[in-house]
Amino acid sequence: MTNLKDQINRVISFEKIPKRIVSLVPSQTELLCDLGLEPSIVGVTKFCVHPNYIKTKVTVVGGTKEINLEKIKALKPDIILCNKEENTKEIVEACESICIVHVSDIYTLDDSLQLIKQYGCLFNVEDKALHICNEIEWQCKDFKRFIQNKKQLKVAYFIWKNPWMVAANNTFINYLLTLNSFDNYYKSQNRYPEINLEVKPEIGLVMLSSEPYPFKEKHKKDLEAFYPNAKIVLVDGEMFSWYGSRLTKAFAYFKALRLNLC
């Protein structure tokens, strides 16, 4: 019997390596595949888009906030992978009636590395997990050297429209904004607050994320009058919010983004 604490300090016990996996988190689905575990995945959400063919090969069991519990039961999983932010407490509790549930909780790069290593232990792919972690750590160190002398910019990072919502404190997005030497204007607020649009001449950069709201070029005009001194740019939300193996691509993206702002 092996015991392991997940990232919300729940002890999960397993007698053998889980072979049938349901993932209810898109970034964790991508991580599983990059760990070589694609053959073990039996269920994903409709938002799991990496790799782009995964939904054609396994059962789609709903979204991240609403799941089809009967579909999941029929798959006879050994483990269900959840996330504290992406999935509700009710979903986690319902899934626990089926099998072992592992819950991730990510705020920092260290949290991300811990999760990758936990999956390495859970699924007996420690070497692959360590390789991904080493790559992320190396790229992060290289990026910190790149960014250290760059000017800090006051930013707003929008994730939703009608109502307008931004990424604030206690989020992985805010952690990565800080790493990029961006000063989040809304960092004094918590999580993902709704805001009223007001003229903010002090903000120098407005970022419109591609997810969860799919901001497009046309949406820039909605904000121009409120941020008269800001450059308004579209950004790849996966690079700022996906916390698994996607981070091996994120730092190159951050470099390119900063160079384009010059």
Side-chain angles (χ1 to χ4, degrees):
M1 178 73 71
T2 300
N3 295 323
L4 179 148
K5 277 189 178 181
D6 68 11
Q7 291 187 301
I8 59 170
N9 289 317
R10 296 158 62 258
V11 176
I12 60 176
S13 302
F14 49 100
E15 295 181 352
K16 57 184 180 179
I17 298 166
K19 295 296 185 182
R20 297 178 63 79
I21 306 168
V22 169
S23 172
L24 300 183
V25 188
S27 60
Q28 293 173 192
T29 299
E30 180 183 47
L31 172 58
L32 292 172
C33 292
D34 287 341
L35 286 170
L37 294 165
E38 184 180 322
S40 295
I41 301 172
V42 295
V44 297
T45 75
K46 61 184 179 181
F47 301 115
C48 293
V49 294
H50 296 294
N52 59 10
Y53 55 81
I54 192 69
K55 289 186 292 183
T56 68
K57 300 189 76 173
V58 304
T59 301
V60 175
V61 298
T64 54
K65 305 299 185 199
E66 295 182 0
I67 59 171
N68 187 320
L69 205 61
E70 293 308 312
K71 273 190 177 182
I72 295 177
K73 286 180 181 177
L75 293 172
K76 298 181 179 179
D78 299 319
I79 192 168
I80 301 170
L81 305 178
C82 295
N83 172 263
K84 184 179 177 181
E85 178 176 302
E86 294 277 1
N87 311 123
T88 65
K89 181 180 179 182
E90 290 74 21
I91 283 177
V92 172
E93 290 173 348
C95 289
E96 286 180 316
S97 68
I98 300 173
C99 64
I100 296 169
V101 177
H102 180 284
V103 183
S104 62
D105 190 21
I106 308 294
Y107 293 94
T108 68
L109 187 65
D110 284 344
D111 294 336
S112 300
L113 297 173
Q114 181 193 54
L115 176 66
I116 296 168
K117 291 173 182 175
Q118 282 194 356
Y119 280 10
C121 175
L122 263 173
F123 303 114
N124 195 31
V125 286
E126 288 95 340
D127 288 346
K128 291 181 179 179
L130 183 60
H131 176 76
I132 291 174
C133 288
N134 288 343
E135 178 67 16
I136 292 171
E137 289 179 309
W138 182 89
Q139 291 198 27
C140 183
K141 287 179 183 177
D142 179 65
F143 180 72
K144 285 180 177 178
R145 288 192 292 268
F146 165 83
I147 204 70
Q148 63 183 349
N149 295 318
K150 298 293 188 292
K151 180 182 177 182
Q152 188 178 65
L153 297 173
K154 192 170 289 291
V155 307
Y157 187 104
F158 281 85
I159 63 162
W160 202 259
K161 181 180 185 291
N162 297 330
W164 293 99
M165 297 173 67
V166 295
N169 204 6
N170 296 317
T171 63
F172 188 56
I173 293 172
N174 186 67
Y175 172 86
L176 289 180
L177 290 175
T178 302
L179 195 63
N180 276 268
S181 196
F182 294 141
D183 180 17
N184 188 353
Y185 181 84
Y186 296 99
K187 65 186 178 185
S188 63
Q189 299 190 48
N190 194 46
R191 305 294 288 161
Y192 303 105
E194 295 182 18
I195 64 165
N196 295 318
L197 293 182
E198 300 172 342
V199 177
K200 302 290 184 184
E202 61 270 49
I203 292 179
L205 178 66
V206 171
M207 309 168 83
L208 303 181
S209 179
S210 60
E211 63 165 40
Y213 187 91
F215 282 105
K216 306 295 182 187
E217 196 72 26
K218 63 183 180 181
H219 296 118
K220 291 182 179 181
K221 292 183 179 179
D222 297 334
L223 298 172
E224 287 175 352
F226 298 98
Y227 302 96
N229 298 322
K231 186 169 186 177
I232 303 175
V233 299
L234 302 175
V235 295
D236 185 344
E238 292 177 0
M239 297 299 178
F240 282 93
S241 60
W242 286 38
Y243 46 77
S245 47
R246 174 64 39 154
L247 286 166
T248 61
K249 304 177 178 72
F251 294 105
Y253 177 84
F254 297 155
K255 277 186 181 181
L257 175 63
R258 176 60 79 144
L259 291 171
N260 287 336
L261 293 174
C262 296

